[in-house]
Amino acid sequence: MSVAIDEVNFFDPAVLEDPFDFYQAAIAECPVYQMPGTTTFLVLSYDAVVDCCKRVDDFSSDFGDMLAGARAADPDVKAILDEGWPAVNTMLTADPPDHTRYRGLVNQAFSMRRVNAMEADIRAVAVDLIEAVADTGRAEFIDDVAMPLPVAVIAEQIGLTRADTERVKRWSDAFADRLGGMIDKDRELECARQVVEFQHAMKERLDARRAEPQDDLLTDLVQARLEGEQPLDDAELMSILQQLMVAGNETTTSSLAGGLLLLIQNPDEMAKVRADRSLIPLMVEEILRLESPSSGLWRVARHDTELDGVAIPKGAMLMVRFAAANRDPEMFAEPDAFQADRKEARRQLAFGKGIHMCVGNMLARKEMAVCYEELLDRIDDIRLAPDHDLTHVPNMLLRGLKRLDIEFSRAGRERAEAA
């Protein structure tokens, strides 16, 4: 399809719902694209995205104001937020040297040892969720599996329980809606209330972990120390926990649901993975490439500079579109095709690049791999329900299906029968 990119308002909800023709046209024509009449640039090609992410001296991640919601300064919203703790630029929205401190402290908590220790719990949650619907023949996959799995996992790691899943989801949705920048004032007020509720709940648990440490991520964060650096204070910890909660919930949920849809829409690829489960880790990379649930993030030009030959003035906002870079035909042959055994899928940028690469990437990969393993073992003949709806939640930065209604039959594999 021919696309006249200058006639496209990229942030129109209809374009965000189906941006892929625009991506291909813009990557070919102007990989760093200045939106008409603005100082906002879309960074679209793989090489330009990587270059932008690595040049931290030229392009700042200090875009915290953009995540605070479009009405953060509104007196009604501010009155609610003042009942909690102030927002702090930590990992996502901090630049070196502050970012170096935060990342060093958080890396101590989010170690491979911690993620590997969580695998048995991840699998147990996945099995419980899938078994709860395996004999029913029908599920709304997001509500039944894709959402409660990562929510339950992150809840236990931040001092909550599986019984708190609804609260964690509510809090996470509030943060995600605010950073998406596409909600009305009533929702903004409700989101502010949820932010404050989250902060007070976390304060109780932070104090409890200081008094009585546990074997969990929250304790690791409270106890994290770097020589010559201050430990994380309450406001910093809440900011980090907020980011981990959203990244560990919204994006993993979206990847799980979007990945299952890709399998349904590509039955030959699903059959390939069913025949060879060793392909699942590579399939996860391909799903992340095509879904890119963190579709984009902001950067701010620190000074007059250039990117891919395009002049960028000081103060310009750059929307770095990982979702576009992950479909760059210069990097990925047949970029819009789902290939479960695509070797170059490992180059995908769904977790970002450079110093701000998602700290929870190992956990997300683990949750996805375990979930698909158990799903393919326990249900078969997976297909879309006749009344399915495949629209996405409108959001500038995140991409995820609103729902995924599926039908299926119980798998006949021995492992499923023994469950």
Side-chain angles (χ1 to χ4, degrees):
M1 179 184 298
S2 177
V3 176
I5 60 176
D6 287 345
E7 298 176 5
V8 174
N9 174 8
F10 181 74
F11 295 121
D12 185 299
V15 177
L16 290 173
E17 175 65 32
D18 186 8
F20 306 113
D21 288 336
F22 173 84
Y23 286 158
Q24 294 305 327
I27 288 172
E29 186 174 332
C30 47
V32 177
Y33 170 62
Q34 183 173 5
M35 298 182 70
T38 75
T39 55
T40 298
F41 295 77
L42 299 179
V43 185
L44 300 161
S45 72
Y46 189 96
D47 288 345
V49 166
V50 170
D51 190 24
C52 184
C53 290
K54 288 185 174 180
R55 289 167 55 186
V56 295
D57 292 334
D58 295 327
F59 302 111
S60 170
S61 292
D62 185 3
F63 59 92
D65 290 345
M66 302 286 289
L67 302 186
R71 299 177 182 83
D74 182 288
D76 297 330
V77 176
K78 189 174 184 302
I80 297 171
L81 294 174
D82 284 346
E83 298 175 10
W85 281 257
V88 179
N89 284 338
T90 52
M91 296 185 298
L92 186 64
T93 55
D95 294 318
D98 291 339
H99 176 270
T100 306
R101 169 178 169 256
Y102 292 128
R103 189 66 182 234
L105 289 164
V106 174
N107 279 349
Q108 292 184 18
F110 242 114
S111 63
M112 180 61 79
R113 178 195 66 81
R114 167 62 60 198
V115 172
N116 286 338
M118 295 164 65
E119 180 172 351
D121 288 339
I122 295 170
R123 194 171 299 279
V125 174
V127 169
D128 286 349
L129 293 170
I130 296 166
E131 282 297 315
V133 298
D135 290 317
T136 67
R138 183 182 174 108
E140 198 289 279
F141 184 69
I142 292 176
D143 280 350
D144 291 336
V145 179
M147 180 273 289
L149 171 59
V151 170
V153 171
I154 200 66
E156 290 192 7
Q157 291 299 313
I158 62 174
L160 299 162
T161 68
R162 287 181 64 178
D164 295 302
T165 295
E166 183 178 337
R167 281 206 298 169
V168 175
K169 175 62 174 170
R170 191 171 69 241
W171 294 334
S172 181
D173 284 348
F175 286 117
D177 285 355
R178 293 183 82 215
L179 69 87
M182 301 180 76
I183 55 175
D184 60 23
K185 182 172 177 177
D186 285 344
R187 177 57 180 159
E188 193 89 55
L189 290 168
E190 177 57 27
C191 288
R193 286 188 281 269
Q194 294 300 326
V195 167
V196 172
E197 180 184 311
F198 163 79
Q199 289 179 333
H200 284 278
M202 287 300 99
K203 172 60 175 172
E204 292 178 8
R205 283 152 183 82
L206 290 169
D207 289 343
R209 290 301 183 270
R210 291 183 178 112
E212 189 174 345
Q214 304 287 325
D215 183 20
D216 59 17
L217 177 65
L218 190 60
T219 299
D220 290 347
L221 287 169
V222 167
Q223 295 183 340
R225 298 292 185 274
L226 286 175
E227 185 176 353
E229 299 285 0
Q230 290 292 319
L232 297 165
D233 63 27
D234 283 341
E236 291 171 330
L237 283 163
M238 288 175 193
S239 172
I240 290 167
L241 288 168
Q242 165 197 326
Q243 293 176 39
L244 294 178
M245 184 174 65
V246 175
N249 165 23
E250 297 290 339
T251 56
T252 305
T253 293
S254 297
S255 296
L256 285 168
L260 181 57
L261 178 59
L262 286 169
L263 287 167
I264 293 170
Q265 293 173 328
N266 296 271
D268 290 346
E269 298 302 303
M270 186 187 293
K272 187 186 300 181
V273 178
R274 283 193 182 277
D276 182 1
R277 301 305 171 82
S278 70
L279 291 176
I280 287 179
L282 194 57
M283 180 192 75
V284 165
E285 300 302 313
E286 176 73 340
I287 288 170
L288 289 165
R289 182 185 74 83
L290 285 171
E291 288 302 303
S292 299
S294 293
S295 296
L297 281 177
W298 293 105
R299 293 291 187 270
V300 186
R302 292 175 177 269
H303 47 251
D304 291 349
T305 184
E306 63 78 31
L307 182 64
D308 198 42
V310 176
I312 309 291
K314 179 180 179 179
M317 298 300 300
L318 295 90
M319 166 54 72
V320 182
R321 292 306 286 186
F322 304 114
N326 278 336
R327 292 174 182 249
D328 187 335
E330 292 295 317
M331 185 59 60
F332 305 102
E334 297 181 78
D336 294 329
F338 174 57
Q339 300 170 11
D341 55 353
R342 184 191 294 266
K343 301 295 190 295
E344 67 268 26
R346 296 188 179 95
R347 302 172 187 163
Q348 55 85 13
L349 302 176
F351 295 114
K353 190 73 173 178
I355 65 171
H356 286 282
M357 184 174 178
C358 176
V359 70
N361 71 86
M362 293 182 292
L363 176 57
R365 287 178 163 110
K366 181 75 72 176
E367 289 174 327
M368 291 176 67
V370 168
C371 185
Y372 290 129
E373 288 169 8
E374 298 299 336
L375 195 71
L376 294 176
D377 274 357
R378 295 168 189 279
I379 64 174
D380 206 347
D381 189 27
I382 310 170
R383 58 199 181 275
L384 292 173
D387 54 347
H388 64 269
D389 174 10
L390 300 181
T391 55
H392 295 76
V393 178
N395 195 300
M396 292 183 189
L397 305 184
L398 304 176
R399 181 174 174 84
L401 288 164
K402 292 180 180 178
R403 57 187 297 118
L404 182 60
D405 295 283
I406 59 173
E407 294 180 348
F408 48 82
S409 57
R410 160 73 85 168
R413 296 172 61 88
E414 292 181 3
R415 181 176 176 183
E417 292 172 350

